[in-house]
């Protein structure tokens, strides 16, 4: 699944609704639900709850800052011992808005599954000569509230993101 990227005005500032839902609400939901976050995605029940959370996240914002949850969906995927609840967010229009968010965990054969980690694939851009080039950025939030920048990310595709996360998990951050 590939997700596109559109241009918007004020391309250097994320839209408030998109940003707060991703970095505050969705991150909190992932860490609070723990393994249940992945179970809900596996059972096809995560997306409805997230759409409700999207609306609640926008309820306190001025009407002009509210965005529809168009495209917000969730799916469950596995890559070897990596389990992932992948959240496809409404179309990012500005730098810093996420295409995809993953609640992931590794199933260790001796220790069992780990607590979920929280990864984001965000829209980014860089200036190369006279042009601005669109790209992605991979980041990880820790349970203690630290954001770890993991560098340039893959194409905004579920498979490419899972492969990148599997590499990060294999070597550590």
């Amino acid at each position: 699944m590939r997700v596109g990227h559109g241009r918007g005005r004020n391309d250097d500032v994320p839209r408030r609704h998109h940003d707060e839902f991703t970095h505050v609400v969705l991150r909190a939901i992932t860490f609070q639900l723990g393994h249940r976050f992945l179970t809900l995605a596996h059972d096809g029940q995560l997306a409805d709850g997230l759409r409700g959370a999207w609306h609640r996240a926008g309820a306190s914002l001025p009407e002009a800052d509210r965005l529809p949850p168009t495209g917000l969906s969730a799916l469950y995927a596995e890559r070897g011992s990596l389990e992932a609840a992948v959240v496809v967010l409404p179309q990012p229009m500005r730098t810093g808005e996420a295409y995809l968010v993953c609640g992931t965990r590794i199933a260790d054969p001796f220790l069992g599954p780990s607590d979920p980690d929280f990864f984001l694939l965000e829209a980014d851009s860089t200036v190369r000569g006279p042009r601005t080039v669109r790209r992605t950025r991979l980041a990880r939030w820790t349970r203690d509230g630290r954001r770890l920048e993991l560098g340039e990310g893959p194409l905004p595709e579920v498979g490419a993101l899972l492969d990148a996360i599997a590499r990060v998990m294999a070597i550590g951050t």
Side-chain angles (χ1 to χ4, degrees):
M1 173 186 298
R2 185 171 183 168
V3 185
H5 176 72
R7 285 197 133 197
R9 292 176 296 146
N10 300 320
D11 204 32
D12 59 338
V13 179
R15 293 170 295 172
R16 191 170 167 196
H17 192 169
H18 208 287
D19 191 56
E20 287 182 14
F21 177 79
T22 304
H23 295 279
V24 178
V25 175
L26 187 52
R27 180 169 55 107
I29 289 170
T30 303
F31 288 138
Q32 287 174 1
L33 289 178
H35 69 87
R36 187 154 161 64
F37 188 77
L38 288 112
T39 302
L40 289 168
H42 182 270
D43 295 344
Q45 299 174 346
L46 184 59
D48 287 339
L50 293 179
R51 280 190 284 279
W54 179 273
H55 288 295
R56 286 188 299 281
S60 64
L61 298 176
E63 187 73 33
D65 290 343
R66 295 180 197 164
L67 302 171
T70 307
L72 181 62
S73 59
L75 59 102
Y76 176 83
E78 294 180 1
R79 280 280 197 283
S81 63
L82 177 73
E83 284 184 274
V86 182
V87 178
V88 179
L89 291 154
Q91 180 69 34
M93 300 300 288
R94 299 181 184 171
T95 296
E97 294 180 356
Y99 289 100
L100 302 165
V101 170
C102 285
T104 64
R105 70 178 178 187
I106 298 289
D108 185 284
F110 298 106
L111 302 174
S114 63
D115 287 331
D117 287 300
F118 186 80
F119 287 89
L120 308 103
L121 185 66
E122 296 175 327
D124 196 16
S125 62
T126 188
V127 176
R128 291 194 182 137
R131 297 181 342 151
T132 299
V133 178
R134 300 279 175 203
R135 61 184 194 161
T136 64
R137 177 176 62 231
L138 184 61
R140 178 181 185 182
W141 280 96
T142 64
R143 288 185 166 277
D144 61 2
R146 290 178 298 133
R147 181 184 163 107
L148 306 173
E149 296 293 335
L150 302 174
E152 190 165 344
L155 289 173
E157 299 173 336
V158 171
L161 176 59
L162 293 176
D163 289 343
I165 291 171
R167 282 192 301 278
V168 168
M169 299 298 283
I171 62 172
T173 54

